[in-house]
């Protein structure tokens, strides 16, 4: 089981976290087309390589985190709060 | 051979195969024991494995092989011995070469029919050519209609023991561990690594698959045994080392997450969680290791030639272990084929055990065995040599090389590399930081040098240093010997011969991974430990590619079989009760499991509970309702985002119903939220949705709107919640609450008040109800829940107050047409389909799910409607389909009950839009085939659709 270095709690088992999927900006609801919206909901890049994704530290600090993870090695490169600017 | 009157040391006592006591044996001759094998009484000593005890008693055949039902005896005398898988009592697939025999054990052979001696299926040997490579794929294909028959045939062939459905649950356990260094393997290098790490200050876990530490030193010469004893003593004296024997590292996962299966600990009694005194059968240890040192040693490889699976043909390590550890003479007259010093030592050990060593064939100088010839019962009678001569013998010992069990390294990301000089695979040098290798896996050396290497690697692991700093072990020259001049078994577990592999390669399955899947070579219970390198070598020979080019298969977890019991472990499942649970239990509540909660389903008669509420008053424990305390100036913004309706203008003292949808427009949760004061709200959610909604609110606050000033606190269990429902509820509450004016004018429907109930201050009263009656929902500080509950019952005796459970509430809410998220909606139900047109405000700037719900208006969707069967006595089961014609599905029943209030059946369900008009009669198809005509109603509510009663 991979470990995620939580910026608030330190390195923790990934089982403490809930996986929230690839991080993508939510489209502007006023102008979005159905195709754009459904791409946001259902299409995932699923790359072999680095991916930015959301993890919720459910059994810890309960913060939503943005984790940069390598999908081949599970190496974690950065963990930051998930707040969008 | 006659029995000598005073046997020399190491020579067989009487006519049996048990030798006289010898140095280094692990059996306790002071503890003889009896057990059963195949229906007959046998004896052994404590410390014997099942196989060593049986072999000592003259048993040489332990099973029939998987496909051809050939007799099988001892090959490796270890855990992976493919012919020694046995049934012990109710436990199937016991590894007889490993498991220690216990008094009274009832051991039986597997995969034999009707008996081990006369096996009907051994006729398969005669039809072997039909069972060759890929026979599953070729034979059982056509015609399709015969597949069920094929399945029956294949089942008869399946190996494996029998599981009795009456087997009592054993005690399995799990444990989490955090060693600084975990060492896999307790041979000389592993023990030294543990010592080196502990001396460097690390907390060490040392895991050994066998029952004792020592590895190959245990069956070595006197100086090696002395070294083993010295190391074992040092390990035991080192407080920083925890030793787990009869335990195996089954897998290495990300970041050195290491799974260890502790096998059968009859001496370890479950600590209070199993039946008293019951032993822990297996324990799964989940270890997060700082460093992992892999010291798995080497596994001896069988030689491939005709007859290599006959009982009596065994590996040199098996022969030596039998003689040295269990004092068992593995045969009477032996031929030894040796390509290495261990094989040479085996010949000496056999001689010391009184075995007549008829011939030692040195493979380093061309010695070879062409085929093993069988006696009438299939066991070894003679070997044929290269020059055609035959040597009579009942034991053929082969020592032609070693395989490196690199599994844990593969799981760490390494790909082993073939080293022709050593005739085996070596680590490929692609290990991540924190994974170390020592011992035979890393190279060849004297025991002393292995200890030195292990100690240095252990110290490096403790310090987190790069292992490159440790002087590497070299490798000894070893001839490359895999297959002789004839074809023989490669995979003894799966009955795959080298001939099958050559045939498969000829058919185009010429990559090792394809060949593995096509022929099932290496896929049996031995998991490739004995077979992989031979399979690679045979493929290499068939294709003309080198072994290095051919490569090896990928080794995946688990390294060794692990029982489902161990994986399940001890059940840790939290259960939640309300503070009123003692009362419910004392009053005959039937428990209902609702997620983590245990709730009263009813107290004996749910229909009577309904009648009592409709005519008088009842109380229900609704503590599991999710409750979130929301504070801050931006709460209205959050509510507007999460709910589909509008929240900006909710006044202090008011409550409002809301529905939440996800961004795909699907209904997520519903509930009532009230404004307690200027900047404090209390949100209620469904009982099952409490955690989801909390995380949901946090998700939006933390990711999309970090600037909003809102604090969300879950308070579900901080309050005990009681709903008082029925026309007399105002009267009842009024008797216990004196500081709140309860009249309809002063405290109207959909409002809330704070007050004192039964002397408890700080109670929240909400005028809402799921039942459709005048009702008050109380949220009282949890510690007073039971007191308020009992006070209500005591105060309302003359009003006929009684408790009601979930079932009565479900009936009443169905009478009122309220849907339940997750019962009447599913993962595809969007807001408009659930009939929420009246609630959704698409003119809001944004809310979660808005685009989908806005688009849904232009789509075709099924609608939730109230339904009543024309025959009110028929209650169609929930999940019945609504059909048109013979079986075109046009809807479904989501809720269905008999309404005691209306005296007829009532339903909620989804129908196609064309059928949603009031008065339409649809056909409900019950699972038993009945067709139930039902009328679509004007309202979801079957009872008081205008809501007069709850507004009273």
């Amino acid at each position: 089981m991979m470990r995620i270095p939580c910026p608030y709690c330190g390195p923790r088992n990934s089982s403490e976290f809930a996986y929230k999927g690839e991080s993508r900006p939510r489209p502007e609801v006023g102008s979005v087309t159905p195709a754009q919206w459904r791409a946001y909901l259902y299409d995932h890049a699923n790359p072999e390589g680095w991916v930015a994704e959301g993890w919720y530290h459910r059994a810890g600090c309960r913060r939503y985190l943005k984790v940069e993870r390598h999908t081949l090695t599970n190496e974690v490169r950065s963990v930051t709060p998930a707040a969008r600017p | 051979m006659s029995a000598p009157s005073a046997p020399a040391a190491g020579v067989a006592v009487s006519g049996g195969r048990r030798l006289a006591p010898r140095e280094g044996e692990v059996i306790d001759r002071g503890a003889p024991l009896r057990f059963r094998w195949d229906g007959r009484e046998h004896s052994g000593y404590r410390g014997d494995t099942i196989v060593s005890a049986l072999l000592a008693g003259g048993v040489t055949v332990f099973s029939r092989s998987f496909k051809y039902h050939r007799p099988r005896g001892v090959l490796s005398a270890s855990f992976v011995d493919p012919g020694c898988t046995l049934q012990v009592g109710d436990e199937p697939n016991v590894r007889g070469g490993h498991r220690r025999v216990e008094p009274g054990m009832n051991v039986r052979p597997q995969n034999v029919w009707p008996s081990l001696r006369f096996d009907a299926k051994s006729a398969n040997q005669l039809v072997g050519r039909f069972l060759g490579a890929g026979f599953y794929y070729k034979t059982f294909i056509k015609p399709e209609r015969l597949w069920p028959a094929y399945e029956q045939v294949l089942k008869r062939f399946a190996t494996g023991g029998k599981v009795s459905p009456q087997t009592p649950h054993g005690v399995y356990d799990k444990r989490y561990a955090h060693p600084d260094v975990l060492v896999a393997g307790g041979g000389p290098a592993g023990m030294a690594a543990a010592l080196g790490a502990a001396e460097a200050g690390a907390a060490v876990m040392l895991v050994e698959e066998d029952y004792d530490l020592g590895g190959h030193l245990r069956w070595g010469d006197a100086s090696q045994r002395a070294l083993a004893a010295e190391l074992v003593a040092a390990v035991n004296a080192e407080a920083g080392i925890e030793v787990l024997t009869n335990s195996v590292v089954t897998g290495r996962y990300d970041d050195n997450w290491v799974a260890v299966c502790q096998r059968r600990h009859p001496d370890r009694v479950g600590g209070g969680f199993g039946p008293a005194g019951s032993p822990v059968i297996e324990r799964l240890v989940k270890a997060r290791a700082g460093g992992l040192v892999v010291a798995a040693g080497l596994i001896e490889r069988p030689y491939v030639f005709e007859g290599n699976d006959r009982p009596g043909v065994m590996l040199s390590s098996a022969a030596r272990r039998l003689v040295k550890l269990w004092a068992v003479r593995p045969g009477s007259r032996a031929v030894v084929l040796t390509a290495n010093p261990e094989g040479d030592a085996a010949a000496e050990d056999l001689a010391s055990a009184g075995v007549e060593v008829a011939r030692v064939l040195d493979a380093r100088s061309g010695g070879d065995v062409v085929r093993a010839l069988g006696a009438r019962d299939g066991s070894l009678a003679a070997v044929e040599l290269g020059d055609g001569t035959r040597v009579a013998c009942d034991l053929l010992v082969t020592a032609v090389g070693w395989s490196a069990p690199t599994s844990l390294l593969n799981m760490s990301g390494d790909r082993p590399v073939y080293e022709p000089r050593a005739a085996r695979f070596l680590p490929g040098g692609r290990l991540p930081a924190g994974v170390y290798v020592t011992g035979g896996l890393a190279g060849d050396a004297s025991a002393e040098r292995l200890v030195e290497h292990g100690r240095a690697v252990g110290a490096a692991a403790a310090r987190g240093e790069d292992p490159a700093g440790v002087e590497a072990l070299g490798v000894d020259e070893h001839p490359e010997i895999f297959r002789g001049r004839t074809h023989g078994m490669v995979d003894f577990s799966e009955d795959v011969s080298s001939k099958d592999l050559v045939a498969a390669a000829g058919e185009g399955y010429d990559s090792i991974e394809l060949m593995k899947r096509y022929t099932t070579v290496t896929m049996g219970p031995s998991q490739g430990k004995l077979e992989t390198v031979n399979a690679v070598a045979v493929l290499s020979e068939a294709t003309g590619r080198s072994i290095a080019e051919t490569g090896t298969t990928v080794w995946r977890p688990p390294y060794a079989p692990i029982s489902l019991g161990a994986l399940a472990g001890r059940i840790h499942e939290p259960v939640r009760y309300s503070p009123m649970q003692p009362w419910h239990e004392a009053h005959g509540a039937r428990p209902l499991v609702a997620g983590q909660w245990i709730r009263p389903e009813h107290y004996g008669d749910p229909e009577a509970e309904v009648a009592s509420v409709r005519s008088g008053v009842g109380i229900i424990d609704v503590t599991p309702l999710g409750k979130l305390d929301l504070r801050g100036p931006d709460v209205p913004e959050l509510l507007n985002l999460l709910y589909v309706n509008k929240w900006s203008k909710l006044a202090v003292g008011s409550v409002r119903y809301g529905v939440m949808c996800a961004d795909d427009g699907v209904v997520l949760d519903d509930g009532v939220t009230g404004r307690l004061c200027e900047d404090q709200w209390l949100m209620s959610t469904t009982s099952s949705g409490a955690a989801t909604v909390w995380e949901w609110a946090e998700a939006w606050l933390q990711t999309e709107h970090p600037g909003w000033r809102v604090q969300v606190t879950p308070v579900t269990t901080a309050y005990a919640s009681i709903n008082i429902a029925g026309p007399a509820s105002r009267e009842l509450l009024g008797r216990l609450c004196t500081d709140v004016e309860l009249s309809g004018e002063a405290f109207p429907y959909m409002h809330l008040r704070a007050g004192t109930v039964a002397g408890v201050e700080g109670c929240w009263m909400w005028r809402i109800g799921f039942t459709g009656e005048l009702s008050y929902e109380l949220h009282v500080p949890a510690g007073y829940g039971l007191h308020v509950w009992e006070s209500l019952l005591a105060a309302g005796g003359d009003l006929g107050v009684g408790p009601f459970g979930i079932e009565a509430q479900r009936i009443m809410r169905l009478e009122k047409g309220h849907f339940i998220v997750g019962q009447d909606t599913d993962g595809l139900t969007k807001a408009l389909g659930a009939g929420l047109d009246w609630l959704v405000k698409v003119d809001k700037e944004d809310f979660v799910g808005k685009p989908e719900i806005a688009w849904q208006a232009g789509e075709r969707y099924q609608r939730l409607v109230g339904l009543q069967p024309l025959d009110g006595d028929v209650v169609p089961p929930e999940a019945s389909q609504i059909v048109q014609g013979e079986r075109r599905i046009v809807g479904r029943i989501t809720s269905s009950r008999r309404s005691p209030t209306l005296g007829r059946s009532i339903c909620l369900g989804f129908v196609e839009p064309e059928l949603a008009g009031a008065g339409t009669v649809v056909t409900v198809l019950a699972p038993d085939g009945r067709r139930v005509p039902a009328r679509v109603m004007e309202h979801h509510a079957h009872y008081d659709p205008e809501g007069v009663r709850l507004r009273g």
Side-chain angles (χ1 to χ4, degrees), chain B residues 37 44 81 135 151 215 294 340 375 391 419 426 501 535 566 668 672 681 752 895 909:
Chain B
W37 158 252
D81 201 326
F135 88 99
E151 196 180 339
V294 183
N340 50 46
V391 182
E419 172 51 63
L426 291 172
L501 298 184
L668 182 77
V672 172
W681 284 253
L752 66 82
S895 289

Side-chain angles (χ1 to χ4, degrees), chain B residues 442-453:
Chain B
D444 299 306
S446 68
E448 289 72 18
R449 174 77 184 100
L450 288 177
V451 167
E452 188 184 296
H453 186 264

Side-chain angles (χ1 to χ4, degrees), chain B residues 719-918:
Chain B
Y719 292 105
S721 302
I722 302 167
N723 194 286
I724 312 168
S729 56
R730 180 177 290 138
E731 167 67 22
L732 173 59
L733 181 57
R735 293 180 185 181
L736 293 176
C737 170
T738 49
D739 56 356
V740 173
E741 171 62 58
L742 297 178
S743 72
E745 298 74 41
F747 184 3
Y749 181 57
M750 296 305 272
H751 283 71
L752 66 82
R753 296 289 181 266
T756 306
V757 179
V760 179
E761 292 172 9
C763 297
W764 292 104
M765 291 168 252
W766 296 21
R767 247 204 80 181
I768 56 168
F770 208 27
T771 60
E773 297 296 331
L774 171 68
S775 54
Y776 298 86
E777 196 145 293
L778 308 185
H779 301 297
V780 311
Y784 294 105
L786 183 56
H787 163 73
V788 172
W789 177 266
E790 289 178 331
S791 301
L792 285 165
L793 290 168
D798 58 315
L799 301 172
V801 67
F804 65 102
I806 295 294
E807 178 57 19
Q809 178 172 263
R810 281 187 179 161
I811 293 169
M812 287 188 274
R813 69 91 200 175
L814 183 58
E815 290 176 340
K816 271 299 291 176
H818 295 307
F819 68 75
I820 295 177
V821 175
Q823 160 137 3
D824 298 294
T825 72
D826 64 16
L828 294 172
T829 307
K830 294 184 191 175
L832 301 188
L836 295 170
D837 321 48
W838 60 277
L839 191 72
V840 175
K841 291 291 177 283
V842 286
D843 56 336
K844 280 201 292 185
E845 191 184 322
D846 187 14
F847 63 87
V848 184
K850 176 181 166 178
E852 286 290 350
I853 296 170
W855 296 325
Q856 194 191 6
E859 294 166 4
R860 184 187 147 78
Y861 54 89
Q862 290 195 347
R863 282 155 168 85
L864 188 67
V865 294
L867 291 150
Q868 289 188 358
L870 301 186
D871 179 349
D873 290 332
V874 177
V875 185
E878 288 173 352
S880 294
Q881 302 291 0
I882 295 171
V883 296
Q884 231 173 21
E886 193 52 34
R887 41 192 325 119
R888 193 173 89 83
I889 295 170
V890 291
R892 67 185 192 279
I893 298 293
T894 59
S895 289
S896 182
R897 285 289 189 283
R898 199 190 90 85
S899 161
T901 312
L902 302 175
R904 69 166 352 279
S905 52
I906 55 170
C907 309
L908 273 176
F910 274 97
V911 292
E912 295 285 325
E914 296 76 21
L915 303 173

Side-chain angles (χ1 to χ4, degrees), chain B residues 392-476:
Chain B
C393 60
D394 63 351
L395 177 64
L396 169 60
V397 169
T398 66
V400 298
W402 306 91
S403 291
T406 55
S407 307
L408 294 174
L409 308 181
N410 285 62
M411 294 173 208
S412 308
D414 193 33
R415 296 303 299 263
V417 172
Y418 183 70
E419 172 51 63
R421 263 185 352 104
R424 68 171 193 262
F425 285 85
L426 291 172
R430 282 168 50 184
L431 288 172
V435 181
Y436 302 79
V437 194
T438 186
L441 268 188
D444 299 306
S446 68
E448 289 72 18
R449 174 77 184 100
L450 288 177
V451 167
E452 188 184 296
H453 186 264
R455 201 177 278 267
V457 166
R463 300 193 187 99
E465 288 168 0
D466 190 334
V470 179
E471 193 194 335
L473 294 174
V475 290
D476 290 347

Side-chain angles (χ1 to χ4, degrees), chain B residues 529-555:
Chain B
K529 291 176 185 67
L530 299 170
E531 310 91 346
T532 297
V533 177
N534 282 339
V536 171
V538 170
L539 176 59
S540 145
E541 188 189 325
T543 60
R545 292 191 298 255
S546 72
I547 290 178
E549 285 167 327
T550 304
T552 182
T553 52
V554 175
W555 303 55

